[in-house]
Amino acid sequence: MEQYGVLVLVLIVVAAFLLFKYVRIVPQGMEYTKERLGKYQKTLTPGFHLLVPIVERVGAKVNMKERVLDVPSQEVITKDNAVVRVDGVVFFQVLDAAKATYEVNNLEHATLNLTMTNIRTVLGSMDLDESLSKRDEINHSLLRVVDDATNPWGIKVTRIEIKDIAPPQDLVDAMARQMKAEREKRANILEAEGFRQAAILKAEGEKQAAVLEAEGRKEAAFRDAEARERLAGAEAKATEVVSAAIASGDINAVNYFVAQKYMDALATIGSAENEKVLFLPLEASSVIGAIGGIAEIAKEAGKARS
């Protein structure tokens, strides 16, 4: 009985060992490669799997989730011989566990070195200004090249991001001075453009004012000429009337004409600013008496109309 008990115990231990050794449960997000007699046979997907004892075994356990690799900082010489320090990150995912296991040794190390090499290649073909300003273009170029190169390894490179591009401090200082000079240049250009525009607007305003002033003088001269023409016509008419009255023997008309001219002369003398006292000649009384002829003429003109 004791021998049977030992045999049963041995069988239980062997069964437990075989169960532990050849029964595999693959978790979600993982895939196992199965080898038979040392040769790849198939890929075990998540779930329960049973291996043939002694003949089959698990070759590699591959993480199928997206992974991130930090690209260490490295010095890169640009096209214009500037030395910059560059680092970044790589995002990739295994799509084929068999290729990732058997086509490359140390997948992460190979991907990292490939990325660092292509960073030097891409940045080495660009000037420093392009390297600093075209970050998206650099990322896309790296992604395209690295993804094509790693395709035989059964992985998909989803993103490559350059984290930092750091030029030497002397280049940073030089670029700061250059930017300051450019800003001052633009400010001077804008200020000069403002002065130029102001001068143009001022000249246009003065030109317009001169045109308007000339138009005003022209209009005033036209009005003055018209007024003088009408005044001359009126005087001519008055002279004609007086001449007709003289021809008919009316002495009052002569008195009217002389008195009018005399009164105009007195008005001119009296309106002078430096005249405070006015002396009339002895003949003024006779002239003033002639003014009465104006009233007589007016009366006669009224009788003629009636």
Side-chain angles (χ1 to χ4, degrees), residues 195-206:
F195 288 148
R196 174 176 173 272
Q197 193 67 23
I200 292 175
L201 293 177
K202 182 179 179 182
E204 289 289 339
E206 292 177 352

Side-chain angles (χ1 to χ4, degrees), residues 99-116:
K99 289 184 178 180
T101 302
Y102 301 108
E103 296 295 334
V104 60
N105 184 31
N106 198 337
L107 177 63
E108 291 188 356
H109 182 72
T111 304
L112 184 60
N113 279 275
L114 182 63
T115 303
M116 294 177 66

Side-chain angles (χ1 to χ4, degrees), residues 242 245-258 290 293 297 300:
V242 172
I246 293 173
S248 63
D250 190 354
I251 193 63
N252 289 328
V254 177
N255 291 335
Y256 164 75
F257 189 75
V258 173
I297 293 175
E300 290 179 3

Side-chain angles (χ1 to χ4, degrees), residues 53-121:
I54 302 173
V55 177
E56 297 178 343
R57 70 183 184 91
V58 172
K61 300 177 181 180
V62 182
N63 187 348
M64 304 300 291
K65 294 177 287 187
E66 187 172 11
R67 286 179 272 178
V68 181
L69 286 178
D70 284 324
V71 180
S73 179
Q74 61 176 330
E75 290 188 349
V76 177
I77 300 177
T78 61
K79 186 178 180 180
D80 52 353
N81 296 323
V83 180
V84 296
R85 296 197 65 84
V86 184
D87 59 1
V89 290
V90 181
F91 298 83
F92 72 97
Q93 184 177 15
V94 176
L95 301 181
D96 191 326
K99 289 184 178 180
T101 302
Y102 301 108
E103 296 295 334
V104 60
N105 184 31
N106 198 337
L107 177 63
E108 291 188 356
H109 182 72
T111 304
L112 184 60
N113 279 275
L114 182 63
T115 303
M116 294 177 66
T117 302
N118 281 278
I119 286 177
R120 290 194 294 269
T121 302

